[in-house]
Amino acid sequence: MAETILLIDDDPAFGEELAAFLEGHGMICEAVAEPAAAIPRMADVKPDLMLLDQRLGATTGTEILR
Amino acid sequence: MNRASVAAEAVEQTLLRSVEAVQGIQALTQTRSNLLAEGNLNGAEAIADRLRAIVRSEQFGVLQVSTIDRTGWMSWSTTPFKGPLWLGDREHFLVHKNGEKGLHISAPLIGRASKHWSVQFTHPIVDADGNFGGVSVVSYDPIKLSDTLGTLRFGEKSVSAVLRIPDGQLIARSKDAEHQLGRPNEADHPAIIAARTSPSGTLHLKSIVTGRNMLAAYRTIGTLPLVVVIALDAESELADVESLAWSVHLAVFSAPLLAALLLEVMAQRLARQRSRAELDLARSRHDSAEYARGHIARLLAGLPAAVYSATVTASGEVRRFTLPDNVDRLTGWPLAELGDRGDWTSNVEAVSAERWCNHYRSVIQNGDAAIEYSFRRPEGSTMWLRDQARVLDAHDPDNVEVVGYISDITQERSLHEQTMESAKLATLGEMAAGLAHELNQPIAIMSLAAENACRTLETKGEAGIAFAIQRMNRIAEQARRARTIVDHLRIFGRKDDEKLGPVHLDSVVDGAMTLVGSALREAGIAVAVDVSGVLPAVHARQILCEQVLVNLLLNARDALDANEPEAPRVVTIAGSVGSVSDHIILTVTDSGPGIPAPVLARMFDPFFTTKAAGKGTGLGLSICHGIMRSFNGTIGAANSQGRGAIFTLVFPRAPSSPTAGELSTPEALEFHYT
């Protein structure tokens, strides 16, 4: 079973390309551009790894981590 | 109010001009230091060249400009110096090292090498983190200043002096300066004591040099730690013209001659209109006005200014135009060559007859108005003049009496233009860090997309083409994104000499956000924009508008740095049509701690700086003020009712809009900041 990665970055173009890149390397990856959607998606996706951008408009990656 | 007060006011204006020039020079040294820190050696050298040119031309009485590094060693000077020079024990270094953030004026000293008197005007240089980074030193010639005071003398036995607040140190004196400059300071000088309670007033003094009784007026110089004292011999003061007092109060601009002229014109009117008894009275007033005028004319003859009187019709046409004898000192043209109005206007560039009419109509409507224009001198060169006019008497609408004050603002403008350009360079430097991030993002996406396309084509062959094409499109889109940023940067850095035209504020906001959006995001600030695309266009210049907005946004970011961590970090940009529909309003509101009242009162003064401004050049807001003025607009600041500061930009609506036909800025009022 491949590792699942949840990727949160407010630049959708960047999120999509990075997700495609990681999938090209055999991982399952979902990109989320809306920080508010990150927590609910986490419950569904149950990722092995989360990649959080630090600067996310009004909030930060550290904030979501907490 | 007596003659001494009038003189003190004139001296204050002269000194303010010199000191503002000094502070402009200090702002240039700060910019040079910023550019050096960023590794922009060409920019730093360009500023060094300008400073050397200022010293060479002996403008403003500046002898030398130098900088001291944070450890006390001289780091640069307009005059070559030998070997390492340690100044870390000097008063003017220590005072800033110990926390003085504003202008410091040192006691006059005789130079070890030059054997000449000099006064050091110093200001701290701040580094990129806003900490003490050294001292900017402008050496000023107190003898030259004293000579100027000497030419402004107001009678045989008068004497004028400039003292430092609060210790009464003598900085310049109209007589015997060479010897008096070395005398001990007088913290208990009556003018120093009086200046604590009131910025200007009159005093009775006994000269410490001659022991004579003197009547004196003192006046603090703007917001500087300086007071000018003008003492007149008591006897000569008794011959003063009582009636001069009220007339001076009527003059809004500091032209004493204007007051005398006013009195003279009133006397002439009385002579024409009143009874015999009043005529006699008027004549005696006229005589005394003449007497005062003689003194004041001598005082003003040395200043780069001329006062004229004129009569104007209701439609703004000039019927009579009388220039003073000293107009040749201002313009180089003898009075005989400027005999009528046409002689004057033929030398004025780019002001049409219609614009002149508009100007004087606005003088009549508003009571006063100013126009700036370039003026040809006899030898063919041009100078910049500011022509301020004021209504004296509007009883007869077809013969409105007007007085005007024309001053030479060529140096002021050239210095302003230099600082504008330097400030723009400095703003660019401030934005550079954020821009690096802004450019890195599309580059990272392009690199990922290219790799994804290659991999797909390699592993899936033809089946991967559709996916690869999407990646290629993404690369093109991100390349455009990067180009937009670079284009904006290029436009912003370019010298801007275009004319005013219609500008849409929504595109101004887009442009400014392209430049500083990432810097704000990086600081964790949310920007809310409420600027509708259907807002009428304003009469302005796109790049300058962006420069103003960039400055305000970077200021807002710095203000929010002072917030507690949990406080909201929000900046709101909103556009609207003003209550006067000719005005379009743009506000920038932040959720920072607001602006302290003392700062609020002075923040748009040229070269006023605060600690918070230490991150930049400290010139931002005065530049914004200058830019908004060039649009015939305004900039204002206040604390909003909730929390934070609110900056309000008022723009004139673009003339193409239906109601704003007459609002177009006269060409001569356009400031060609480059």
Side-chain angles (χ1 to χ4, degrees):
Chain A
M1 164 97 191
E3 289 87 355
T4 308
I5 299 176
L6 184 62
L7 173 65
I8 293 131
D9 193 304
D10 61 343
D11 187 337
F14 183 80
E16 258 180 59
E17 288 307 323
L18 187 57
F21 177 83
L22 293 170
E23 279 173 355
H25 283 80
M27 280 159 248
I28 298 167
C29 191
E30 179 169 331
V32 176
E34 186 51 55
I39 310 265
R41 282 308 291 157
M42 220 161 72
D44 296 342
V45 178
K46 297 197 173 51
D48 300 299
L49 178 72
M50 270 179 75
L51 287 177
L52 284 160
D53 189 19
Q54 173 61 6
R55 292 182 293 272
L56 291 166
T59 182
T60 65
T62 321
E63 198 69 26
I64 292 175
L65 186 62
R66 287 204 190 106
Chain B
M1 181 76 83
N2 53 33
R3 280 190 294 136
S5 308
V6 173
E9 198 173 323
V11 173
E12 185 201 8
Q13 291 305 316
T14 313
L15 279 179
L16 271 178
R17 197 173 302 143
S18 300
V19 175
E20 280 179 5
V22 165
Q23 290 178 303
I25 290 169
Q26 285 170 336
L28 288 176
T29 63
Q30 173 70 59
T31 306
R32 179 177 168 275
S33 154
N34 294 352
L35 293 174
L36 276 181
E38 289 155 15
N40 183 346
L41 298 181
N42 289 338
E45 192 47 36
I47 290 180
D49 273 345
R50 274 179 204 159
L51 292 170
R52 280 191 285 267
I54 288 173
V55 172
R56 264 201 310 278
S57 67
E58 298 180 343
Q59 280 180 47
F60 320 117
V62 173
L63 296 169
Q64 185 186 359
V65 181
S66 58
T67 54
I68 307 176
D69 70 16
R70 79 186 70 225
T71 57
W73 294 91
M74 185 184 274
S75 51
W76 177 79
S77 169
T78 52
T79 320
F81 61 103
K82 271 194 193 147
L85 191 54
W86 199 63
L87 302 166
D89 57 347
R90 300 291 173 91
E91 176 200 3
H92 61 260
F93 175 77
L94 289 172
V95 76
H96 295 298
K97 188 176 167 54
N98 294 332
E100 172 59 55
K101 300 278 198 275
L103 178 72
H104 174 74
I105 301 170
S106 76
L109 280 176
I110 295 185
R112 287 173 198 170
S114 68
K115 305 274 183 270
H116 285 134
W117 282 105
S118 72
V119 171
Q120 321 301 336
F121 284 71
T122 56
H123 196 278
I125 294 173
V126 291
D127 64 18
D129 302 320
N131 298 320
F132 175 73
V135 174
S136 159
V137 185
V138 177
S139 302
Y140 192 80
D141 184 352
I143 300 296
K144 188 165 179 179
L145 179 59
S146 299
D147 289 347
T148 309
L149 293 182
T151 63
L152 296 177
R153 220 165 38 159
F154 236 63
E156 281 302 296
K157 285 158 187 151
S158 79
V159 62
S160 49
V162 177
L163 303 175
R164 183 171 70 174
I165 298 171
D167 66 356
Q169 173 68 53
L170 186 70
I171 301 292
R173 193 171 190 273
S174 63
K175 282 183 183 167
D176 199 26
E178 284 282 352
H179 296 104
Q180 300 289 331
L181 284 177
R183 81 185 193 203
N185 59 21
E186 301 167 71
D188 56 351
H189 189 287
I192 294 287
I193 294 168
R196 282 183 211 147
T197 46
S198 169
S200 65
T202 52
L203 297 166
H204 290 265
L205 282 184
K206 188 176 276 250
S207 164
I208 63 158
V209 180
T210 63
R212 294 179 70 96
N213 282 321
M214 312 286 272
L215 284 169
Y218 72 91
R219 211 177 159 84
T220 54
I221 312 290
T223 53
L224 301 167
L226 291 176
V227 59
V228 55
V229 188
I230 302 214
L232 299 175
D233 185 62
E235 260 173 62
S236 76
E237 178 67 4
L238 289 180
D240 191 14
V241 191
E242 185 81 293
S243 48
L244 192 56
W246 59 265
S247 57
V248 171
H249 281 296
L250 290 176
V252 282
F253 18 92
S254 68
L257 183 52
L258 202 62
L261 253 170
L262 169 71
L263 199 66
E264 190 182 25
V265 172
M266 297 307 278
Q268 283 168 353
R269 290 186 62 81
L270 280 172
R272 285 202 300 273
Q273 294 168 0
R274 299 279 169 86
S275 68
R276 182 85 203 174
E278 283 176 317
L279 191 65
D280 288 342
L281 177 68
R283 277 200 183 128
S284 74
R285 276 199 184 180
H286 184 252
D287 287 348
S288 37
E290 269 302 307
Y291 173 83
R293 185 172 182 241
H295 279 287
I296 297 165
R298 272 200 297 284
L299 168 79
L300 272 187
L303 295 175
V307 175
Y308 65 88
S309 73
T311 45
V312 181
T313 64
S315 60
E317 271 167 60
V318 176
R319 284 218 169 138
R320 182 180 61 77
F321 181 67
T322 313
L323 285 160
D325 298 340
N326 72 344
V327 71
D328 61 326
R329 289 194 74 145
L330 176 71
T331 61
W333 293 101
L335 184 57
E337 304 249 347
L338 297 170
D340 64 38
R341 177 69 184 166
D343 295 332
W344 183 263
T345 51
S346 67
N347 289 313
V348 172
E349 294 183 337
V351 181
S352 65
E354 190 194 342
R355 289 211 163 97
W356 277 119
C357 286
N358 285 344
H359 168 64
Y360 282 108
R361 269 213 307 274
S362 113
V363 171
I364 294 169
Q365 272 161 23
N366 304 322
D368 59 57
I371 183 170
E372 294 181 3
Y373 44 78
S374 88
F375 189 86
R376 263 188 302 278
R377 298 174 62 100
E379 80 284 6
S381 68
T382 58
M383 64 193 302
W384 274 95
L385 297 177
R386 179 182 295 134
D387 183 339
Q388 295 169 283
R390 182 171 170 77
V391 173
L392 272 188
D393 189 333
H395 273 107
D396 178 355
D398 263 320
N399 267 310
V400 177
E401 298 198 40
V402 163
V403 279
Y405 181 74
I406 305 174
S407 49
D408 179 358
I409 53 163
T410 314
Q411 284 189 357
E412 190 184 309
R413 282 182 76 105
S414 93
L415 192 69
H416 198 141
E417 282 168 15
Q418 287 178 13
T419 44
M420 290 279 288
E421 191 57 30
S422 310
K424 195 159 74 176
L425 286 175
T427 312
L428 274 180
E430 248 180 281
M431 294 186 313
L435 279 167
H437 173 82
E438 190 80 340
L439 278 175
N440 252 338
Q441 191 76 354
I443 290 169
I445 295 171
M446 285 190 272
S447 141
L448 278 171
E451 215 167 318
N452 290 338
C454 288
R455 176 176 300 275
T456 310
L457 290 175
E458 274 163 19
T459 55
K460 296 188 182 157
E462 272 188 38
I465 287 180
F467 182 81
I469 287 174
Q470 282 176 3
R471 308 279 75 74
M472 298 299 175
N473 283 333
R474 171 145 284 153
I475 291 174
E477 156 210 314
Q478 294 296 317
R480 275 194 300 275
R481 173 175 168 188
R483 202 176 56 206
T484 309
I485 297 162
V486 173
D487 281 351
H488 257 98
L489 199 57
R490 215 167 38 205
I491 292 168
F492 193 82
R494 188 170 68 194
K495 287 202 170 189
D496 174 38
D497 48 9
E498 288 153 38
K499 301 256 172 217
L500 299 189
V503 172
H504 290 278
L505 289 178
D506 55 333
S507 74
V508 169
V509 174
D510 284 347
M513 288 302 289
T514 311
L515 292 169
V516 294
S518 68
L520 295 172
R521 271 197 303 279
E522 196 165 320
I525 293 164
V527 180
V529 179
D530 178 17
V531 180
S532 158
V534 299
L535 213 56
V538 303
H539 193 52
R541 268 182 279 174
Q542 172 96 17
I543 298 158
L544 293 180
C545 291
E546 284 181 21
Q547 199 182 343
V548 170
L549 193 55
V550 160
N551 262 299
L552 293 184
L553 290 172
L554 289 175
N555 277 356
R557 177 197 63 180
D558 294 344
L560 288 166
D561 271 355
N563 267 7
E564 322 77 83
E566 61 279 6
R569 297 166 72 77
V570 184
V571 174
T572 310
I573 308 172
S576 61
V577 176
S579 55
V580 181
S581 67
D582 288 344
H583 289 162
I584 311 298
I585 293 168
L586 192 70
T587 58
V588 178
T589 313
D590 66 59
S591 62
I595 306 162
V599 174
L600 203 53
R602 293 179 52 204
M603 61 197 301
F604 295 108
D605 289 3
F607 310 118
F608 174 72
T609 58
T610 66
K611 281 183 218 168
K615 287 199 170 179
T617 56
L619 276 173
L621 285 178
S622 74
I623 301 287
C624 292
H625 184 255
I627 290 173
M628 291 308 294
R629 203 177 78 160
S630 77
F631 301 154
N632 252 1
T634 60
I635 179 169
N639 287 312
S640 69
Q641 285 178 339
R643 60 174 287 146
I646 174 162
F647 282 82
T648 305
L649 304 173
V650 180
F651 294 89
R653 195 167 165 148
S656 55
S657 311
T659 58
E662 70 278 13
L663 250 182
S664 65
T665 312
E667 209 167 281
L669 266 179
E670 289 170 14
F671 291 69
H672 295 279
Y673 299 125
T674 51

